[in-house]
Amino acid sequence: MVGAADIERAVAILARGGLVAFPTETVYGLGADAENPDAVRRIFAAKGRPAGHPVIVHMAEAAWLARYASRVPPAAEILAARFWPGPLTLIVPRAARVPLEVTGGQETVGLRVPDHPVARALLAAFGRGLAAPSANRFGRLSPTRPEHVRAELGVAVDLVLDGGACRVGVESTIVDLSGKRPALLRPGRIGAAELEAALGAPVPLATAPTQRAPGTLASHYAPATPLRIAPPERLLAEVADEIGRGRRVAVLSRAPAPAGLAASWAAAPPDPEAYARALYATLRELDALGCDAIIVEEPPTGDAWLAVRDRLTRGAHPA
Ligand code: TXA
Ligand code: MG
């Protein structure tokens, strides 16, 4: 899929301040040289993302922490050793070489080492951090396949590295280590229980959504079609009600489609990891049908479903 020549081309584009979309294990990122403020500004323009929203710096290895953090908290050392490369972003005090364009004007920076061979090859060849948000238009669903990036960003991105479908499917877990105590800013594949076991300390979910983390704003990760969540026992009644009112409905449910129902039905995998992997691609497909509504059967509760529930809840919020 991606060869040495592609990596070489990508590095040349990044070195002259261009944008390269690349696969990670979570979702595709829209990358620019993290140490070049003009290149980072181009990310915001391509996404239609308001300035002042911080982006994550991707690194080839944990040793780069010392390059991009002014101080490495002991908890960061522990979590990096345990979970990197992997779907975990750590918020730490920013080093002076991280431009304020990356951090949204803040004195902290989000850092992570992605676990994807293409991302790692690119980072190692470039030799510097890549500032990269998810490679989608602001507020929309994150891309989990290269064709999602091309469809959404088109010519605004200089190159899309094709790494196939992303393995995790939802964005990284974000842990804030810049304060006195760790806080979970965004749930992901790595759950609070795993983080707490590694740290031997509680990692509570930060409650107040802040401007500091747009991925934690209420309306985010949204398809264009209005999406709502229905408890399993009410799903069929709500779908029937919509159909009865002459509306076209798309459904995402872990149950198979009942016979004879006049709705577009996508069957979601029963386990949380496979559900997360398929989630955004499936929502994109349902969105493309142009129905009047997407109704998603509420997933189970529990730690393993937290990331999926979080993204669905934000996708359901009225824009
Ligand atoms: O899995 C991921 O994290 C993907 C892949 C590409 O790595 N990236 C991603 O980036 O989801 P983005 O920009 O769509 O979301 C990054 C989140 C945002 O909610 C942002 O506000 C938060 O990280 N963030 C970044 N730096 C921060 C900081 N200094 N303080 C608080 N939140 C920060
Ligand atoms: Mg995003």
Side-chain angles (χ1 to χ4, degrees):
M1 278 185 282
V2 172
D6 300 302
I7 296 292
E8 214 171 288
R9 214 180 126 212
V11 166
I13 290 167
L14 293 168
R16 59 159 208 264
L19 301 182
V20 173
F22 62 96
T24 79
E25 78 279 35
T26 58
V27 301
Y28 275 73
L30 179 61
D33 180 352
E35 300 183 33
N36 177 343
D38 290 330
V40 173
R41 265 186 232 114
R42 230 165 262 146
I43 296 177
F44 286 80
K47 278 184 65 97
R49 182 173 180 158
H53 289 221
V55 297
I56 294 169
V57 175
H58 297 69
M59 313 187 297
E61 47 188 298
W64 291 17
L65 260 173
R67 182 176 175 91
Y68 292 113
S70 63
R71 174 176 65 79
V72 181
E77 299 276 14
I78 294 168
L79 294 180
R82 170 73 182 80
F83 296 107
W84 282 354
L88 177 67
T89 296
L90 302 177
I91 308 295
V92 294
R94 94 179 156 102
R97 63 157 50 86
V98 178
L100 290 170
E101 281 77 0
V102 168
T103 69
Q106 301 177 67
E107 289 308 320
T108 57
V109 61
L111 301 175
R112 97 172 181 99
V113 177
D115 184 16
H116 191 290
V118 173
R120 301 199 74 195
L122 178 64
L123 286 159
F126 187 51
R128 275 220 291 267
L130 288 179
S134 51
N136 51 278
R137 301 279 305 166
F138 181 65
R140 295 299 176 194
L141 299 168
S142 294
T144 55
R145 296 170 185 272
E147 57 269 27
H148 299 162
V149 182
R150 288 191 205 101
E152 198 143 324
L153 297 177
V155 295
V157 48
D158 298 305
L159 176 67
V160 180
L161 292 174
D162 182 347
C166 299
R167 171 170 64 76
V168 174
V170 291
E171 305 80 359
S172 60
T173 304
I174 304 181
V175 178
D176 187 355
L177 298 175
S178 68
K180 279 209 186 74
R181 304 192 186 291
L184 184 60
L185 295 190
R186 181 172 71 181
R189 171 64 153 285
I190 296 170
E194 280 179 274
L195 297 166
E196 289 171 352
L199 290 178
V203 184
L205 186 62
T207 42
T210 61
Q211 188 60 25
R212 299 174 56 206
T216 66
L217 289 179
S219 180
H220 216 77
Y221 312 110
T225 313
L227 180 153
R228 68 174 196 270
I229 301 165
E233 68 278 8
R234 286 226 313 270
L235 179 68
L236 285 179
E238 290 202 16
V239 172
D241 179 64
E242 291 275 348
I243 294 170
R245 288 189 289 131
R247 285 158 54 87
R248 292 180 56 229
V249 198
V251 183
L252 177 62
S253 166
R254 294 189 307 136
L261 193 77
S264 302
W265 192 283
D271 68 285
E273 294 185 354
Y275 189 109
R277 188 178 305 131
L279 179 63
Y280 288 144
T282 307
L283 287 178
R284 265 173 202 275
E285 281 166 22
L286 296 181
D287 202 16
L289 298 174
C291 291
D292 300 297
I294 297 174
I295 305 182
V296 179
E297 177 195 27
E298 187 183 354
T301 51
D303 210 29
W305 289 95
L306 194 59
V308 156
R309 291 176 65 96
D310 171 78
R311 303 310 188 277
L312 284 173
T313 306
R314 297 181 200 289
H317 198 273

